């Protein structure tokens, strides 16, 4: 009897309820969570149930950055973000210059290239690179 | 809980709100002043906005253009190169990128530079002086797309060479365009080989594409030979040497970055 009781106690101790992903923003969170995933998770949680300050986020984020590997993104992922409203805003500080545009230009060509590339056609044959 | 009680107390003594506000404001002003002071010496670091996708490094966009007809001695390379802005997240990158014309639409003799924040796109910068660059020459019409693929690979940390990458340049020239990627240690062959292989992959280069690696010390020597009498060569000689003679340009712009 005694044995069984103590074993149960141990079991209970180990079975903690699963924590939702957004918990990764807390300081004491598991070190396994990747910084990029954390950022993405935050992005998805845009309704902001977990209301944390920017500073707090970056303090934690930088901790992760040091511990974890590098923040890497694929070309496709980066292009996927190009059309998000945040990415279309005008930068706060933008010098007046002939090469600077007042309105965000259309970045549709990026998607187009992506599709053509994924199509597996050899674009470079048509648009052959310079060869001497 | 304490906060809640304080708030209630404030409500009761309404007028004190103002008084309590003012010291905070002055604190804020003080902080802003400090920021300004920092700005004069060093630009304030940009940070990703809430919910944005942070990048491994912050980067700065630069633009330079050779001004025809101006006497070279009065303008240095450093003066001629203009900062467009710095960013720390993917979203901030796209904001700048979508508000700049594409390199393929540039006219004349101009360059876009995208370097890690704090590294100037010059050989003389501490991060660059022991370094070098891979150079790829492109026929007209390809610059925009290759540039995009190059910088997306750089921002996305696809080169996998630790801290080695310094930045990338696209140079629009008379008959062809050049893209290049700069790294810190020219003598580190494992790194330069890895950069070359990644370049081939991300730019989808045909196997016969010629890729040239050039150390910045070689570039400096090269210019010294052409302009032996100039002490301050790295800063101002480049235009002197070039002049406006387009026929020489084909020969001289071998070096993608140095020519303005």
């Amino acid at each position: 009897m005694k044995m069984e009781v103590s074993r149960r106690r141990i079991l209970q101790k180990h079975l903690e309820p699963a924590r939702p992903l957004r918990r990764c923003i807390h300081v004491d969170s598991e070190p396994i969570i990747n910084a990029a995933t954390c950022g993405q998770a935050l992005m998805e949680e845009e309704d902001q149930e977990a209301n944390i300050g920017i500073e707090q986020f970056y303090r934690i984020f930088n901790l992760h950055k040091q511990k974890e590997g590098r923040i890497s993104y694929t070309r496709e992922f980066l292009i996927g973000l190009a059309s998000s409203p945040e990415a279309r805003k005008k930068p706060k500080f933008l010098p007046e210059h002939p090469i600077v545009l007042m309105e965000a230009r259309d970045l549709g060509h990026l998607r187009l290239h992506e599709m053509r590339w994924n199509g597996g056609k050899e674009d470079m044959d048509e648009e052959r690179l310079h060869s001497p | 809980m304490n906060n809640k009680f304080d708030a209630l107390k404030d409500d009761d003594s309404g007028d004190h709100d103002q008084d309590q506000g003012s010291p905070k404001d002055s604190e804020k002003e003080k902080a802003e002043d400090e920021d300004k002071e920092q700005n004069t010496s060093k630009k304030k670091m940009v940070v990703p906005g809430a919910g944005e996708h942070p990048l491994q490094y912050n980067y700065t966009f630069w633009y330079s253009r050779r001004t025809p007809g101006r006497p070279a001695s009065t303008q240095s390379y450093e003066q001629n190169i203009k900062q467009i802005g710095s960013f720390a997240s993917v979203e901030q990158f796209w904001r700048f990128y979508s508000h700049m014309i594409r390199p393929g639409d540039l006219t004349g003799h101009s360059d876009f530079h995208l370097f890690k924040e704090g590294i100037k796109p010059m050989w003389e910068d501490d991060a660059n002086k022991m370094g070098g660059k891979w150079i790829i020459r492109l026929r007209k019409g390809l610059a925009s797309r290759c540039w995009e693929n190059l910088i997306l690979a750089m921002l996305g940390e696809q080169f996998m060479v630790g801290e080695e990458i310094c930045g990338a340049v696209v140079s629009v020239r008379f008959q062809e365009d050049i893209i290049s990627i700069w790294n810190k240690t020219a003598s580190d062959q494992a790194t330069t080989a890895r950069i070359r292989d990644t370049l081939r992959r991300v730019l989808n280069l045909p196997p016969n594409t010629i890729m040239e690696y050039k150390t910045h010390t070689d570039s400096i020597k090269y210019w010294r030979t052409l302009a032996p009498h100039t002490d301050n060569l790295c800063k101002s000689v480049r235009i002197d040497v070039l002049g406006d003679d387009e026929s020489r340009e084909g020969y001289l712009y071998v070096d993608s970055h140095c020519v303005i």
Side-chain angles (χ1 to χ4, degrees):
Chain A
M1 271 308 263
K2 257 185 187 173
M3 282 277 283
E4 219 179 290
V5 170
S6 63
R7 200 195 297 155
R8 196 179 295 158
R9 204 173 285 156
I10 292 164
L11 273 176
Q12 278 172 345
K13 205 177 173 187
H14 282 280
L15 287 176
E16 284 175 20
R19 298 202 281 181
L21 186 59
R22 80 176 81 88
R23 284 293 188 95
C24 70
I25 56 186
H26 293 301
V27 191
D28 59 342
S29 66
E30 310 83 343
I32 320 145
I33 289 164
N34 167 306
T37 325
C38 190
Q40 252 158 286
L42 274 173
M43 184 75 177
E44 281 155 22
E45 296 272 336
E46 247 177 343
D47 36 311
Q48 307 247 328
E49 265 182 49
N51 220 343
I52 44 144
I54 302 170
E55 283 160 37
Q56 194 194 350
F57 173 75
Y58 282 105
R59 191 161 43 84
I60 300 154
F61 169 73
N62 284 331
L63 271 175
H64 280 294
K65 206 157 139 178
Q66 282 160 19
K67 277 189 217 155
E68 310 301 323
R70 321 210 120 222
I71 309 171
S72 63
Y73 300 107
T74 62
R75 180 181 175 277
E76 288 66 34
F77 183 80
L78 293 172
I79 290 174
L81 290 176
S83 48
S84 75
E86 281 302 308
R88 304 291 295 163
K89 282 184 188 165
K90 193 173 175 178
K92 267 187 202 156
F93 305 103
L94 201 57
E96 252 186 62
H97 197 277
I99 59 115
V100 168
L101 306 168
M102 287 303 111
E103 301 262 319
R105 65 183 160 81
D106 182 33
L107 294 176
H109 64 274
L110 289 165
R111 288 238 168 253
L112 191 73
H113 290 156
E114 193 181 7
M115 274 153 55
R116 282 159 71 193
W117 239 299
N118 289 346
K121 294 231 169 107
E122 294 209 73
D123 283 328
M124 287 298 169
D125 270 355
E126 293 166 48
E127 296 183 36
R128 187 173 288 282
L129 286 161
H130 213 59
S131 44
Chain B
M1 277 313 262
N2 274 340
N3 284 343
K4 215 168 186 176
F5 282 125
D6 283 348
L8 282 173
K9 226 164 44 184
D10 280 351
D11 277 351
D12 288 338
S13 52
D15 288 344
H16 290 283
D17 270 0
Q18 281 296 85
D19 295 334
Q20 283 185 339
S22 52
K24 269 184 207 159
D25 283 349
S26 65
E27 258 174 40
K28 207 175 157 190
E29 270 168 28
K30 208 174 159 188
E32 274 169 8
D33 282 348
E34 277 165 20
D35 280 352
K36 267 182 202 164
E37 276 167 36
Q38 279 185 339
N39 263 341
T40 52
S41 54
K42 220 165 209 179
K43 280 249 167 191
K44 205 170 70 176
M45 290 283 273
V46 284
V47 290
E52 292 181 356
H53 293 74
L55 293 166
Q56 177 71 34
Y57 299 99
N58 293 0
Y59 290 85
T60 306
F61 266 119
W62 305 72
Y63 170 76
S64 62
R65 181 184 164 86
R66 196 181 88 197
T67 329
R70 276 243 217 115
S73 50
T74 57
Q75 66 182 172
S76 71
Y77 176 71
E78 205 168 357
Q79 282 165 346
N80 216 12
I81 187 160
K82 191 172 178 56
Q83 267 192 52
I84 305 296
S86 299
F87 55 87
S89 71
V90 179
E91 286 79 359
Q92 290 168 0
F93 158 71
W94 285 121
R95 269 178 233 166
F96 279 107
Y97 193 72
S98 61
H99 285 84
M100 289 158 61
I101 64 172
R102 297 179 86 197
D105 299 329
L106 289 174
T107 54
H109 202 283
S110 31
D111 306 69
F112 277 128
H113 317 248
L114 182 60
F115 274 70
K116 282 179 186 166
E117 194 175 41
I119 303 181
K120 282 186 189 161
M122 310 172 75
W123 307 322
E124 301 86 341
D125 192 284
D126 280 345
N128 295 323
K129 62 185 181 193
M130 300 302 289
K133 64 190 168 200
W134 279 107
I135 300 166
I136 301 165
R137 296 150 177 289
L138 305 167
R139 76 157 173 75
K140 283 286 179 188
L142 294 174
S144 296
R145 198 163 106 197
C146 286
W147 172 242
E148 268 153 14
N149 287 327
L150 173 63
I151 61 176
L152 291 180
M154 182 171 78
L155 300 176
E157 285 292 314
Q158 299 295 309
F159 285 94
M160 315 280 275
V161 286
E163 312 272 304
E164 270 289 324
I165 302 289
C166 297
V169 185
V170 58
S171 307
V172 175
R173 294 297 180 262
F174 180 51
Q175 280 177 316
E176 61 180 2
D177 301 321
I178 304 163
I179 55 171
S180 57
I181 182 153
W182 293 30
N183 74 298
K184 270 186 189 145
T185 323
S187 57
D188 180 352
Q189 288 186 2
T191 291
T192 54
R194 196 165 210 179
I195 297 172
R196 180 199 59 213
D197 295 343
T198 312
L199 268 181
R200 275 190 198 283
R201 180 169 56 84
V202 299
L203 299 181
N204 204 8
L205 298 174
N208 64 343
T209 310
I210 292 186
M211 297 173 71
E212 185 189 345
Y213 190 82
K214 199 162 187 191
T215 67
H216 298 322
T217 46
D218 276 355
S219 304
I220 291 171
K221 272 184 216 153
Y222 179 71
W223 285 100
R224 236 180 248 286
T225 329
L226 289 170
H229 304 301
T230 313
D231 300 330
N232 202 8
L233 106 147
C234 298
K235 297 214 164 65
S236 62
V237 164
R238 293 161 195 169
I239 310 164
D240 273 342
V241 177
L242 270 175
D244 282 317
D245 184 354
E246 292 290 354
S247 64
R248 290 172 68 195
E249 192 178 13
Y251 171 62
L252 285 170
Y253 70 56
V254 175
D255 207 341
S256 59
H257 137 75
C258 58
V259 181
I260 313 173

